[in-house]
Amino acid sequence: MRALTYHGSHDVRVDTVPDPEIVNPRDAIIEVTSTAICGSDLHLYDGVIPGVMSGDILGHEFMGRVVETGSGSTLKKGQRVVVPFTISCGQCFHCKMQQFSACDNSNPAEKQDLTEPLYGHPLSGLFGYSHLTGGYPGGQAEYVRVPFSDVGPIVIPEGMDDDEVLFLSDILPTGWMAAENADITEGDTVAVWGCGPVGLFAVQSARIMGAHQVIAIDHHPHRLELARLMGAKVIDYTQTHVLEALMEMTGGIGPDAVIDAVGMESHGFAPDNVFDTIKQKVGIGADAPHALRMAIMAVRKGGRISMPGVYGGFADKFPLGALMEKGLQLRTGQTHVQRYTKDLLRRIQEGEIDTTFLISHRLPLEEAPRGYANFKNNQNEWTKVVLKPGTAAV
């Protein structure tokens, strides 16, 4: 089969690789019909996530048609399914508490020693996201083996297009959980750093959850316009002093809740960010958390911080004093996708949530390297790239 593989920083290629096979009884094989490039894929593309090996198949946002099942799978051949990026057994302590992204059994035992010394516990399994999370082949391919297929995939009703439901795999539940972690109540002001896909879905989710005012912060004009169309007020951080603007927009109090949808590769020329980026490039620092620092400083006393943005290691100059002295709450984590998919599918069917506005480009899988390069370098115009296996290159 054909699949998008990693060969080094900014070097991804579509190669011919072996087809996946059923390994365990609960496995299923999916023929991929749509797969997307995620903002967190760019962390792999930029070489800042360790444990990615040459030849690894990337991608964790995908859906398709069931073509083969193991004896323990509950799926049926021919069903269309969206597959969560989190691989979860459904039976461990964490899965029973619906903390699916903390599954104890999905990261193979031989891989768990890679992350336990760094994080205190081994990570769970994720598709296409380094050997730290199991080394599972990802979904930017013609076919994928899906472990624990009786737990993760959600069956899609006939008549719904891939574009309507593809983002149930990751970024829609991630934006929803980001807003949920902000503990939004009626009348709140919520500030969102980053108008990428997760940030935009966080804006949409915050509005649905009752926020009175949502303020989106970015510097890409088109992305800010998308946030504005969803009812957000916007701040271009290259034109405005963000903290001063937020204080003015909240009567001198600060936002009730803030969401960091940027993560470990913040942009801009603030001094702290310049130093973080240099350290990241030379390999002595993993994270550049400028957006998180700003969010902590901006939120009102007693406020809430939600951090869906991906971080991988350690951060310097973290405002721990502000976190404590202001009495702030911080909630974060990989998304418990399976907890949210049924409810979000219903909201899509009823027209409450739209996901298709985000898609700017659709490309054949064979053009995935071009998609990565543009999603990285032309973020204003390339808001979301959907790849279509089995279609001819143009």
Side-chain angles (χ1 to χ4, degrees):
M1 70 172 184
R2 301 288 282 171
L4 191 281
T5 58
Y6 178 86
H7 291 275
S9 178
H10 301 157
D11 182 3
V12 293
R13 310 170 196 172
V14 180
D15 294 329
T16 299
V17 300
D19 290 355
E21 299 178 347
I22 297 290
V23 175
N24 298 309
R26 295 168 69 186
D27 289 351
I29 305 296
I30 307 298
E31 180 184 12
V32 178
T33 55
S34 294
T35 180
I37 303 174
C38 181
S40 57
D41 287 330
L42 295 182
H43 301 322
L44 305 177
Y45 186 66
D46 289 339
V48 298
I49 297 290
V52 189
M53 300 182 182
S54 181
D56 282 353
I57 299 173
L58 303 184
H60 57 269
E61 296 181 1
F62 63 95
M63 64 175 295
R65 188 174 297 104
V66 179
V67 295
E68 188 176 356
T69 59
S71 60
S73 176
T74 56
L75 299 178
K76 297 180 174 60
K77 292 182 182 180
Q79 287 180 322
R80 294 172 63 231
V81 295
V82 174
V83 181
F85 78 95
T86 47
I87 303 172
S88 310
C89 74
Q91 298 173 342
C92 69
F93 171 85
H94 295 289
C95 286
K96 287 180 179 179
M97 295 184 67
Q98 294 199 330
Q99 297 172 343
F100 293 103
S101 69
C103 177
D104 273 335
N105 294 326
S106 56
N107 196 342
E110 65 272 16
K111 306 281 188 181
Q112 293 188 3
D113 289 344
L114 296 174
T115 55
E116 190 168 359
L118 184 60
Y119 300 118
H121 296 81
L123 298 181
S124 61
L126 307 177
F127 286 102
Y129 214 77
S130 91
H131 290 261
L132 302 182
T133 58
Y136 289 96
Q140 290 165 3
E142 292 182 316
Y143 296 91
V144 184
R145 179 178 76 92
V146 177
F148 304 117
S149 65
D150 55 323
V151 177
I154 182 169
V155 177
I156 301 303
E158 291 299 323
M160 299 191 75
D161 292 336
D162 281 16
D163 287 355
E164 294 180 272
V165 295
L166 172 61
F167 302 143
L168 287 169
S169 59
D170 177 2
I171 55 174
L172 178 57
T174 297
W176 186 267
M177 183 170 135
E180 182 180 81
N181 278 348
D183 197 20
I184 296 167
T185 58
E186 291 283 343
D188 276 350
T189 291
V190 180
V192 180
W193 270 260
C195 291
V198 168
L200 289 170
F201 281 138
V203 168
Q204 190 177 49
S205 300
R207 296 282 294 173
I208 292 171
M209 292 181 188
H212 171 70
Q213 179 177 225
V214 179
I215 304 167
I217 303 155
D218 205 297
H219 70 295
H220 294 295
H222 179 57
R223 295 187 176 205
L224 288 170
E225 179 59 26
L226 290 176
R228 186 182 289 110
L229 290 173
M230 286 188 291
K233 297 178 181 178
V234 302
I235 296 175
D236 181 341
Y237 67 75
T238 66
Q239 305 296 320
T240 304
H241 189 286
V242 174
L243 297 185
E244 290 180 359
L246 289 173
M247 290 297 282
E248 182 177 339
M249 297 167 79
T250 58
I253 296 174
D256 300 288
V258 293
I259 297 174
D260 168 16
V262 176
M264 66 191 299
E265 291 190 90
S266 292
H267 299 286
F269 294 99
D272 64 322
N273 200 49
V274 171
F275 289 129
D276 285 336
T277 303
I278 292 170
K279 288 185 294 182
Q280 200 173 64
K281 295 301 182 185
V282 300
I284 61 172
D287 296 333
H290 175 70
L292 178 59
R293 294 189 191 106
M294 292 286 289
I296 291 172
M297 299 304 289
V299 68
R300 69 163 172 84
K301 290 180 285 187
R304 291 95 61 192
I305 306 160
S306 172
M307 191 179 77
V310 172
Y311 291 92
F314 299 94
D316 293 338
K317 301 175 292 297
F318 184 79
L320 188 60
L323 187 72
M324 183 272 170
E325 296 291 353
K326 293 171 68 176
L328 306 180
Q329 302 175 48
L330 171 62
R331 297 181 68 186
T332 185
Q334 296 283 6
T335 308
H336 308 308
V337 178
Q338 293 90 331
R339 182 193 296 177
Y340 302 106
T341 48
K342 288 183 180 179
D343 178 57
L344 292 174
L345 175 60
R346 175 188 62 80
R347 292 174 186 271
I348 293 170
Q349 289 176 298
E350 294 175 357
E352 184 179 17
I353 291 178
D354 171 50
T355 64
T356 60
F357 76 93
L358 189 61
I359 302 170
S360 59
H361 294 79
R362 297 170 180 83
L363 299 176
L365 177 64
E366 295 293 328
E367 294 190 26
R370 181 168 76 92
Y372 266 82
N374 280 284
F375 193 46
K376 163 70 177 177
N377 298 316
N378 298 306
Q379 293 187 16
N380 185 57
E381 297 83 9
W382 291 64
T383 54
K384 191 65 177 179
V385 182
V386 173
L387 305 171
K388 305 290 287 187
T391 58
V394 293

